[in-house]
Amino acid sequence: CMVVRYSDRKDKMEEMRINFLVLEGVDGSGKTTIARRIAERTNGIYIKTPGEEYRAIRQYIDNGTPTEAKLLFYLSSVFDASAKIQRILQDKDVVCDRYLWSTLIPHAAYFGKDLAELERFVAPLWQNLALPQNTILITVNEEEQIERLEKEHNLKILKLEVWHSTENQEILQQYEELIAEACNGVVGVPAYYNNRTGEILCGETNYETLKEW
C-alpha cells in the first residue's frame, strides 16, 4: 500500500494516529473489509462514501448521466460524509471507506480530465472538508476483482480482448450496435453485456454496480 499524508507524520501503520483515517482504492480491493476491521479494533466509527442514502440513484448516475453530473454526485457524497465525520470526531475516531481522492482520480482517469484542473475546481470548498491525518491506498489488479466477483456469485465472466484477435472482433460486432445504443453512441473499453438479462454497462464501473449487473 502507499500512504499519502495530509500532515507531516511517520508512515508506519503502528505509529499512525487513527482519529480520522481514510482508505482509498478500487472496488474489490478489500478496503471495505480492512476499514471495518480497523474501526472495530480501534472502537471507531466506520463511514463510507457514497453513503447508503445515495444507493437509490447511483446506478442511474453511473450509467445514464453526463460526466459532470457524475462528478458532482460523488463530490456531494464526500461533503455529506465530511459533515457527519466532523460531528462524530467530537467523541469517536473515524475510519472512512473512500473519500475525496476516490472521486477526483477515477474521474480524471476514466473521462480524460486533467486532475490538476479538478483539484482547482474543488479548492474553494476544500477548507470546509474534514481532512484525515492519513490516507492509505489499497490496490488490486482487474483479474483479482473479476475472480472475486465470480467466486462470490458463482458465475463466469468471459473476457474478450479485441485489439489483437480477429475472432473476438467478430464477436464484438454482434453486440456493437446494442452497446453503442446503450452507451450514447460509443463502444467504450471495457463494455459489459449480460447474456441472460441483456443489460449493458458502459466503460469502467464500480464493484457494486458490477455485482448488480
Side-chain angles (χ1 to χ4, degrees):
C1 65
M2 177 180 71
V3 177
V4 180
R5 295 182 296 280
Y6 287 86
S7 55
D8 185 18
R9 298 180 184 276
K10 295 181 180 181
D11 58 5
K12 293 182 180 179
M13 188 66 192
E14 63 271 18
E15 299 177 3
M16 206 180 275
R17 177 191 174 198
I18 296 299
N19 194 26
F20 177 22
L21 172 68
V22 169
L23 270 63
E24 304 274 26
V26 297
D27 293 309
S29 63
K31 67 183 176 350
T32 296
T33 300
I34 295 170
R36 289 185 183 278
R37 289 180 179 175
I38 292 175
E40 181 180 350
R41 295 187 65 175
T42 60
N43 196 31
I45 301 298
Y46 170 83
I47 292 281
K48 72 173 182 177
T49 67
E52 289 299 321
E53 304 89 342
Y54 286 75
R55 177 180 289 274
I57 62 170
R58 185 171 176 178
Q59 186 169 357
Y60 167 70
I61 293 293
D62 285 341
N63 296 295
T65 65
T67 57
E68 294 82 3
K70 293 178 175 62
L71 175 62
L72 294 174
F73 172 80
Y74 284 99
L75 278 177
S76 73
S77 76
V78 171
F79 282 89
D80 178 56
S82 174
K84 295 175 183 176
I85 289 166
Q86 291 182 58
R87 292 193 296 268
I88 295 170
L89 285 174
Q90 297 177 25
D91 302 304
K92 290 274 191 175
D93 290 348
V94 173
V95 181
C96 186
D97 181 355
R98 291 192 164 203
Y99 202 52
L100 183 61
W101 295 112
S102 283
T103 294
L104 298 184
I105 293 176
H107 190 83
Y110 296 163
F111 303 112
K113 304 297 182 181
D114 184 86
L115 181 58
E117 289 185 6
L118 293 178
E119 291 185 59
R120 286 192 291 270
F121 173 74
V122 177
L125 303 173
W126 200 287
Q127 61 183 357
N128 298 320
L129 278 176
L131 296 182
Q133 277 70 39
N134 293 277
T135 296
I136 299 176
L137 174 65
I138 309 295
T139 63
V140 65
N141 60 44
E142 182 183 3
E143 287 74 17
E144 289 182 39
Q145 280 186 295
I146 297 298
E147 182 180 345
R148 177 184 171 190
L149 185 64
E150 291 176 329
K151 287 181 179 179
E152 285 183 357
H153 299 275
N154 192 29
L155 53 79
K156 181 65 179 177
I157 296 178
L158 179 63
K159 182 179 178 181
L160 300 177
E161 188 278 315
V162 299
W163 301 113
H164 305 99
S165 171
T166 302
E167 181 181 355
N168 289 346
Q169 289 175 7
E170 292 175 353
I171 294 174
L172 175 62
Q173 289 174 1
Q174 299 175 27
Y175 300 96
E176 192 167 12
E177 186 174 340
L178 289 173
I179 294 173
E181 183 178 351
C183 301
N184 298 318
V186 177
V187 180
V189 177
Y192 298 87
Y193 181 83
N194 189 318
N195 283 325
R196 185 174 58 187
T197 66
E199 185 176 354
I200 295 169
L201 296 181
C202 309
E204 295 280 356
T205 188
N206 60 70
Y207 190 71
E208 290 301 320
T209 299
L210 196 57
K211 285 199 295 185
E212 292 176 6
W213 167 81

